[in-house]
Amino acid sequence: MPCNTTQHNAPRTFSRRRLLKNTSAGLCAASVNALLPEKRHTTYAATTGAQCLVVAGMADSICGQWADLLAPSLAERLRLPAFKLKNTLGWDGITAANLFEVQQMQIQPPAGLVVPGTVILAELGGDSRVHYDYQRWIPTFLSYQPTVTVGRISLHRSFSAILKEHPLRVAVSGYTGRELPSLLALELLKLHPLPLTGFGTPESAIEALLSGAVDIIQLPVDSAYADRITSLKEKGFRPLFTNCLYKNNLPDTELPPVFGSICMQERPRAFTSPLYKVWSTATTASTLCAGLMMPFLSAPETVAHWRQACQELAALPDIRNHARAENEVIKTGADCMALYAATKADTLTTITLRRWLALNIPRWRDAQASNKPALNTTTTQ
């Protein structure tokens, strides 16, 4: 009986050892394969089907042009099927951002979003159309371009100017449009800005300036900037200041001083006010021509793949030539994350901006409707 028991248990002991041995070998092989970049990309591509990129604007818009350039090369480097581009209407990108947010609940949500910085300005200003949270997006590629405020005024407030208290009419696309930095800058200088809405293009703003309908406009430092500013100088207008934080990594174009240096010279106390922090955040957002964003809950491995691919895209001749032709600066990697982090406002900054807008927008609307400039300006400094 003991002998039979030994013979019966022997195969079971051998079988367990063999099972453990095979399992260990399989785990080791899987670990080695996971370390191979080729295997990682193959697995990532195999588990991801064709996806779409939501694009703010049609194909001829700034974001549309960038999407057409980035999408094919990005899919190639990620070893994915070609991205489908879902273009949306709307100059400010709010429609695209809302669509991107809503469709995250689908079985296969959009892989990315291409939007301008105006979507950030709209959320900062409390636009009722906003149903997204830009601070949850993950930036992987940004195109950066400053703007310049132009007019025929003196930034130094003389005694006579203080007595007159004449508001400056500023051509804007909307109260929280890309011209918001100019409004905030003039407010910090106590020059009483009065925004007049409806000027959505540089051409319409220049026409209004030349006709005397407005006193101040804001121009992008794009490929047409040099010709535009030369023509305006001949008619007595001049660039007043540049809307950006630091005068580095800018397009190779002659630009006026940054507003920060002018504010420190003319009104040093305003330089430390909450409204200056608002200007800083809004200015950074307004300089973003196009950004490629990923959803907040993207897998870390997927985010790493996209960021690496975008860094490689930034070195491609077609991408570099397009950025150079449009006077835009490309930001990827750590520079991209740092630039986007500068657009994220804290609670005090958001409240300061929204309170300033709430106090002034009713007066601005009444003044524009009656064509009578209001003389008193309410600030939050």
Side-chain angles (χ1 to χ4, degrees), residues 286-303:
S286 72
T287 60
L288 304 185
C289 295
L292 176 58
M293 312 295 178
M294 296 183 67
F296 177 70
L297 296 178
S298 300
E301 183 181 11
T302 305
V303 175

Side-chain angles (χ1 to χ4, degrees), residues 144 146-149 155 185 189 240-248 250 255-265 271 276 279 283:
Y144 171 93
T147 60
V148 172
T149 302
L155 296 178
L189 295 174
L240 302 174
F241 51 81
T242 302
N243 295 296
C244 67
L245 298 187
Y246 308 103
K247 202 168 183 180
N248 57 357
L250 296 182
L255 299 175
V258 296
F259 172 73
S261 63
I262 292 177
C263 184
M264 177 63 75
Q265 177 182 348
F271 191 79
Y276 183 85
W279 175 86
T283 294

Side-chain angles (χ1 to χ4, degrees), residues 57-323:
M58 305 309 292
D60 59 345
S61 65
I62 295 177
C63 289
Q65 294 176 23
W66 273 116
D68 287 339
L69 280 172
L70 294 174
S73 299
L74 179 63
E76 179 182 354
R77 276 157 179 75
L78 294 175
R79 302 193 177 185
L80 295 175
F83 286 107
K84 299 177 182 178
L85 301 182
K86 184 177 293 186
N87 295 87
T88 60
L89 297 175
W91 63 270
D92 52 13
I94 294 179
T95 301
N98 284 336
L99 182 65
F100 178 71
E101 195 79 5
V102 170
Q103 293 189 348
Q104 291 305 312
M105 304 302 295
Q106 293 182 349
I107 296 177
Q108 188 171 10
L113 170 70
V114 184
V115 285
T118 47
V119 297
I120 301 176
L121 296 175
E123 184 177 343
L124 288 175
D127 195 307
S128 60
R129 298 172 296 161
V130 171
H131 301 290
Y132 55 84
D133 183 0
Y134 79 92
Q135 299 197 39
R136 292 168 55 88
W137 298 337
I138 303 173
T140 59
F141 181 99
L142 295 175
S143 66
Y144 171 93
Q145 184 183 82
T147 60
V148 172
T149 302
V150 181
R152 185 158 46 191
I153 64 167
S154 173
L155 296 178
H156 180 72
R157 298 182 74 247
S158 63
F159 183 72
S160 60
I162 295 174
L163 293 177
K164 291 179 182 178
E165 296 291 350
H166 179 67
L168 292 175
R169 299 163 299 170
V170 185
V172 300
S173 53
Y175 295 132
T176 58
R178 200 183 183 192
E179 302 82 11
L180 182 58
S182 290
L183 294 179
L184 292 166
L186 296 171
E187 181 72 15
L188 286 164
L189 295 174
K190 291 288 187 179
L191 293 176
H192 306 294
L194 175 62
L196 302 181
T197 59
F199 302 96
T201 63
E203 290 76 17
S204 62
I206 292 174
E207 183 179 353
L209 182 65
L210 295 177
S211 66
V214 298
D215 306 302
I216 299 290
I217 64 172
Q218 179 178 288
L219 294 178
V221 187
D222 55 12
S223 57
Y225 172 79
D227 292 337
R228 287 170 178 161
I229 204 66
T230 299
S231 176
L232 288 174
K233 284 181 177 179
E234 293 174 353
K235 297 176 175 61
F237 301 97
R238 64 187 183 92
L240 302 174
F241 51 81
T242 302
N243 295 296
C244 67
L245 298 187
Y246 308 103
K247 202 168 183 180
N248 57 357
N249 294 327
L250 296 182
D252 187 16
T253 304
E254 183 179 353
L255 299 175
V258 296
F259 172 73
S261 63
I262 292 177
C263 184
M264 177 63 75
Q265 177 182 348
E266 297 294 335
R267 296 202 67 234
R269 293 182 60 184
F271 191 79
T272 58
S273 69
L275 199 62
Y276 183 85
K277 175 61 176 175
V278 175
W279 175 86
S280 174
T281 304
T283 294
T284 305
S286 72
T287 60
L288 304 185
C289 295
L292 176 58
M293 312 295 178
M294 296 183 67
F296 177 70
L297 296 178
S298 300
E301 183 181 11
T302 305
V303 175
H305 289 153
W306 278 59
R307 284 179 171 163
Q308 177 62 35
C310 287
Q311 285 184 296
E312 295 174 2
L313 292 181
L316 295 179
D318 290 347
I319 303 296
R320 295 174 64 88
N321 291 338
H322 179 74

